Amino acid sequence: MKKNRRQFIYESFAGLATLTMGPYVFGRNHFLADRLYDSKPWIELSKAAYLHNVLQINKIVGGKPIIAVLKNNAYGLGDVQVAKILDNAPGVVAVALVKDERAIALKTAGFSKPVLLMGDFDSATANALVEQEITLSIFSKASFKKISELVESTHKTINVALYIDTGLGRMGIPYKEAIHIGEEVAKNNKLRITHTFSTLTSPKDFAEKQIQRFEEITKELNAKGITTGIKHLAPSLSLLDLPKSHQEAVRPGILLHGSFPMVNRPEAKQYPLQVPYRLKAPIIRLEKLKAGDTIGFSRFYKIKNEEWIATLPVGWADGYDSEAENGALVLLGGELYPVVNVNASHTNVSLGFKTKIKVGDVATLIGPDRPEITPEGFGKLIKGHNYLQINYKESIPKKTYESF
Ligand SMILES: *Cc1c(COP(=O)(O)O)cnc(C)c1O
């Protein structure tokens, strides 16, 4: 790694390093600072990259506020860690997620902005959700009843969102019932509507129809004197495709986490995003295999001559895409090397006939450092999609840096 990339501050010794030893400590202890674990993969997060992506999205949508989607453990990158970064991002007004216990976990970790729960909740978490003032979604008659009962049992005012199904057919009050249920909700003065939202499908013409339905409903509710809170519709693709979808806030996930929802989007040039994370793992075994030797259960990869084969302690059970063995590259000591085998817990990389790489050296499997290993670059190499990190296991440790 070069010095300019050493700017990042290794959280645990930030004060010590910058105050007493200066930046050189990272030059000399490069190896130490670089390898967080000896035997497992980890994820590094960049605050600066997240803040950059927030600014870019703000530009795309002309300054509209952002409700950051942190579902699925912030797309595999660590919901608590990413929420802590976004707590300091002026463009982000709230976060949205789907699991009740994760909403509570963010609040318990000290996240200060409003949290919108877009999914259902269990009776066991209900009181904690109310206590933490998390906005609960009314997405059906049954969920309205459940939340009304919670008002009675807690005697508390509860923040709610009217979640309307304008055509996705997955979650939400069917749009034809939205006015009626909205009126019923408004009659309960212990329910405070802080959001009204829906989500759009991908085909533009139908998404436009959905926007129209949504606007008719919210207009009619407002005309009846019912406040609708923040109105929002747009995940990443819609916010790029349809300015009318921006409403009062946008609700991106993947753009924040550094990828466009599809490859080769024209906006990528005008509004470049930064990949805010690295997936890294140390080499735990290095052996020179001989002509005729094979690697992995399928014995698909055959050694033609002699090759150094490195083993990394990360595999598809950790969420690293098993298709990586069909063309992905990893960065090691400043060079890219091909992945030749992915098993549940191990990945093999070919280092060729001669190498200076050693056991303990750290591979970057995904990160901003080369176009081939960004999420989009990786997706292109394996002919996959841009949402690849969403499967990363929660158990992979995370570390946050000021910048990379
Ligand atoms: C996942 C999700 C989003 C964000 O989607 P991206 O494509 O990642 O931007 C927004 N809204 C809802 C309801 C979602 O489920």
Side-chain angles (χ1 to χ4, degrees):
M1 271 192 196
K2 295 192 195 79
K3 276 242 186 69
N4 59 7
R5 291 235 321 274
R6 304 269 102 226
Q7 297 157 340
F8 68 63
I9 292 173
Y10 196 166
E11 254 180 10
S12 52
F13 31 126
L16 191 69
T18 49
L19 294 177
T20 64
M21 290 186 252
Y24 267 146
V25 69
F26 294 116
R28 282 190 276 114
N29 289 348
H30 168 147
F31 184 72
L32 203 123
D34 205 35
R35 178 150 51 85
L36 298 187
Y37 297 93
D38 298 327
S39 67
K40 56 172 167 266
W42 66 90
I43 287 170
E44 298 175 353
L45 298 169
S46 161
K47 276 189 201 174
Y50 265 106
L51 299 181
H52 169 89
N53 293 343
V54 167
L55 280 178
Q56 294 296 72
I57 298 167
N58 273 149
K59 276 190 207 159
I60 295 173
V61 300
K64 288 270 168 74
I66 293 170
I67 296 168
V69 176
L70 300 187
K71 69 185 181 197
N72 297 316
N73 194 30
Y75 290 51
L77 300 175
D79 53 14
V80 166
Q81 292 84 354
V82 175
K84 278 192 175 164
I85 295 173
L86 298 180
D87 226 357
N88 297 310
V92 174
V93 292
V95 301
L97 32 67
V98 177
K99 295 259 159 61
D100 52 357
E101 78 277 7
R102 298 316 303 162
I104 294 164
L106 293 199
K107 284 295 178 189
T108 310
F111 181 66
S112 71
K113 290 179 180 176
V115 176
L116 166 62
L117 179 65
M118 302 190 291
D120 202 358
F121 56 90
D122 284 333
S123 50
T125 54
N127 286 334
L129 290 165
V130 175
E131 204 61 49
Q132 299 286 5
E133 298 180 10
I134 286 158
T135 297
L136 305 179
S137 287
I138 294 177
F139 56 85
S140 65
K141 277 189 192 132
S143 75
F144 175 39
K145 183 162 176 274
K146 183 163 146 181
I147 293 168
S148 306
E149 284 165 6
L150 196 54
V151 166
E152 308 221 329
S153 66
T154 59
H155 305 287
K156 292 236 166 83
T157 297
I158 298 179
N159 295 328
V160 292
L162 298 178
Y163 187 171
I164 302 167
D165 179 8
T166 52
L168 186 66
R170 177 181 76 178
M171 276 288 274
I173 304 161
Y175 69 96
K176 296 211 161 137
E177 297 167 27
I179 300 286
H180 172 66
I181 294 188
E183 284 174 321
E184 292 301 307
V185 173
K187 280 182 198 158
N188 186 334
N189 63 10
K190 290 250 175 192
L191 292 177
R192 186 193 299 130
I193 302 172
T194 55
H195 296 254
T196 296
F197 74 104
S198 181
T199 200
L200 299 177
T201 57
S202 305
K204 266 195 218 176
D205 50 349
F206 187 67
E208 274 169 0
K209 172 122 203 144
Q210 290 182 277
I211 297 172
Q212 196 190 335
R213 287 173 178 167
F214 184 78
E215 287 181 347
E216 280 169 17
I217 292 164
T218 49
K219 267 194 200 122
E220 192 171 336
L221 288 173
N222 291 341
K224 289 174 189 285
I226 297 167
T227 50
T228 38
I230 314 173
K231 291 177 259 194
H232 47 99
L233 286 172
S236 297
L237 186 66
S238 320
L239 80 79
L240 297 172
D241 278 348
L242 293 164
K244 275 182 86 177
S245 74
H246 298 171
Q247 302 288 309
E248 292 174 349
V250 291
R251 214 175 50 233
I254 194 76
L255 287 170
L256 271 175
H257 307 297
S259 300
F260 281 83
M262 288 175 173
V263 293
N264 301 328
R265 286 292 305 198
E267 299 87 348
K269 283 220 168 66
Q270 199 185 345
Y271 304 102
L273 300 175
Q274 289 176 7
V275 177
Y277 77 99
R278 291 196 182 101
L279 173 66
K280 286 184 165 185
I283 295 179
I284 56 166
R285 177 185 188 261
L286 189 56
E287 289 296 332
K288 198 176 209 180
L289 300 193
K290 305 253 170 347
D293 287 347
T294 61
I295 304 164
F297 296 109
S298 65
R299 306 197 69 217
F300 178 71
Y301 190 78
K302 287 200 172 56
I303 308 289
K304 288 198 194 75
N305 209 313
E306 273 188 347
E307 252 171 76
W308 284 99
I309 299 293
T311 302
L312 304 174
V314 57
W316 54 257
D318 299 293
Y320 185 59
D321 198 311
S322 62
E323 282 300 309
E325 64 188 21
N326 296 315
L329 300 166
V330 304
L331 187 63
L332 256 166
E335 303 279 338
L336 292 167
Y337 296 97
V339 173
V340 295
N341 178 53
V342 181
N343 291 151
S345 314
H346 298 101
T347 289
N348 291 108
V349 177
S350 171
L351 305 181
F353 181 64
K354 259 181 100 171
T355 189
K356 287 189 177 141
I357 304 289
K358 302 176 300 301
V359 167
D361 286 0
V362 174
T364 306
L365 296 100
I366 304 287
D369 314 280
R370 294 282 192 287
E372 294 87 346
I373 64 166
T374 64
E376 182 156 334
F378 178 91
K380 277 184 186 158
L381 288 176
I382 67 162
K383 301 182 179 61
H385 55 70
N386 277 6
Y387 289 71
L388 67 107
Q389 75 272 11
I390 209 156
N391 291 322
Y392 293 166
K393 271 270 171 69
E394 215 175 300
S395 56
I396 301 178
K398 318 290 183 306
K399 193 101 190 168
T400 302
Y401 297 84
E402 289 301 322
S403 69
F404 289 152

